[in-house]
Amino acid sequence: MEIGAQLYTVRQYMQNLDDFAATLKKVAAMGFKSVQVSLGAVCPFEPEWLRDQLQENGLVCAVTHVKNMDVVENLEQVVKEHAVYGCRNIGIGGMPGPMRNTLEGYEEFCKMYIPVAEKMRDMGVKFQYHNHEFEFNKVYGTSVMERMMEDFPADSVDFTLDVGWADFAGADVLKLIDTLSGRLSRIHLKDHADIPEDGSIEETRAYLRPIYEGKAPYDLYIPALKKAGCEYALIEQDKCYDEDPMDCLERSLRNIQARNIL
């Protein structure tokens, strides 16, 4: 299992091509060999440009997040562009907002995205679904994650399991990893802590931290992920508050390396 960088963490440094290129160099210099690019969070780029930048820095793009409707409306073009920079795992960052937390919304999501996932499978690429915490809410007695595991054909979707959000939601993460074994080729590592009571952090959800600086028991999760066939575990910290995202990303990597459990 390789530890990669979800570049969404450092998206603020990727809003023009020069900064994007500089960020890839910095990430490679930290020791990363793989990255995830979230296309909606960075500046526009030509696929050939990204291919060349990745090659120059010894990086691979293990997975992407694309805008939700791109794979519905422009799938052939999306797959063609990903092929240029060698990425065969194409994901969305979550269920579209209006479809969340109702059975009707979930059914609409399935109607729209199961055919997309099956078509991607037939094209030789993999649809990746990334969770937040809401997928663990019960919708008429069953969580969205449970429904998706049942309703989406196993050969048409992998789960970019966000371990931190699952842990924050109170899910049985070890059981979830075991259940999804073989469908977790690319996942997210995220950590969270209690929101400080002194009011120093303005946060209404999880207080996100570098890996091993929060509450998630990664000494248990990382070996379980390896056993489940995870190939790329991508560090992601959506918010870094008043800290430098580059520093947070590197701290996560160093904290994992210090544990010597890879």
Side-chain angles (χ1 to χ4, degrees):
M1 185 173 78
E2 183 173 300
I3 303 299
Q6 186 357 357
L7 296 177
Y8 186 79
T9 305
V10 293
R11 61 195 179 279
Q12 70 191 65
Y13 303 122
M14 303 173 69
Q15 299 308 304
N16 62 66
L17 291 179
D18 287 343
D19 288 348
F20 195 158
T23 296
L24 290 174
K25 288 185 182 297
K26 290 177 181 178
V27 167
M30 291 178 191
F32 288 103
K33 300 296 184 183
S34 56
V35 296
Q36 176 175 350
V37 179
S38 295
L39 276 69
V42 302
C43 67
F45 59 86
E46 295 296 327
E48 293 81 5
W49 179 90
L50 182 58
R51 176 198 63 202
D52 295 345
Q53 290 296 320
L54 292 171
Q55 291 177 353
E56 181 178 322
N57 289 287
L59 297 168
V60 298
C61 181
V63 61
T64 62
H65 279 167
V66 299
K67 295 178 181 179
N68 285 352
M69 293 305 295
D70 277 357
V71 289
V72 176
E73 298 174 346
N74 305 302
L75 180 58
E76 288 78 7
Q77 183 65 24
V78 169
V79 172
K80 180 179 178 181
E81 291 179 354
H82 277 66
V84 172
Y85 48 88
C87 183
R88 298 177 61 249
N89 294 71
I90 303 169
I92 60 172
M95 194 176 297
M99 298 180 181
R100 301 179 182 185
N101 297 318
T102 68
L103 183 58
E104 294 76 14
Y106 172 74
E107 290 174 343
E108 182 182 357
F109 174 75
C110 288
K111 184 177 180 180
M112 183 176 294
Y113 283 92
I114 288 178
V116 168
E118 292 176 330
K119 187 172 182 180
M120 290 174 67
R121 174 201 61 203
D122 295 343
M123 296 172 73
V125 297
K126 181 69 74 172
F127 177 67
Q128 300 272 157
Y129 183 83
H130 169 266
N131 67 277
H132 293 85
E133 76 272 38
F134 81 87
E135 284 89 352
F136 299 95
N137 297 338
K138 299 291 184 180
V139 179
Y140 295 100
T142 307
S143 74
V144 170
M145 282 294 286
E146 291 171 312
R147 290 180 182 273
M148 285 192 68
M149 287 186 284
E150 179 70 24
D151 294 338
F152 276 73
D155 64 353
S156 70
V157 61
D158 272 9
F159 290 87
T160 310
L161 178 66
D162 192 305
V163 178
W165 282 126
D167 187 89
F168 175 72
D172 185 336
V173 178
L174 291 175
K175 180 179 179 181
L176 183 62
I177 292 171
D178 183 63
T179 300
L180 288 172
S181 181
R183 302 176 74 183
L184 296 174
S185 65
R186 284 111 172 100
I187 65 91
H188 282 180
L189 302 178
K190 180 181 278 100
D191 212 342
H192 64 97
D194 293 331
I195 299 172
E197 296 181 356
D198 61 7
S200 58
I201 297 295
E202 293 186 9
E203 183 55 79
T204 58
R205 293 169 75 195
Y207 175 35
L208 302 177
R209 306 300 302 138
I211 309 302
Y212 281 113
E213 296 183 25
K215 300 166 65 176
Y218 275 105
D219 281 352
L220 299 177
Y221 293 164
I222 288 176
L225 288 164
K226 291 171 61 180
K227 183 180 178 181
C230 177
E231 299 172 19
Y232 295 96
L234 299 132
I235 296 165
E236 181 180 49
Q237 188 172 336
D238 308 50
K239 290 184 179 181
C240 297
Y241 310 97
D242 60 347
E243 295 183 283
D244 182 357
M246 285 287 189
D247 179 62
C248 289
L249 183 61
E250 185 165 19
R251 275 163 48 200
S252 284
L253 178 62
R254 301 297 175 235
N255 290 345
I256 294 169
Q257 291 172 333
R259 294 284 174 156
N260 198 31
I261 60 173
L262 296 173

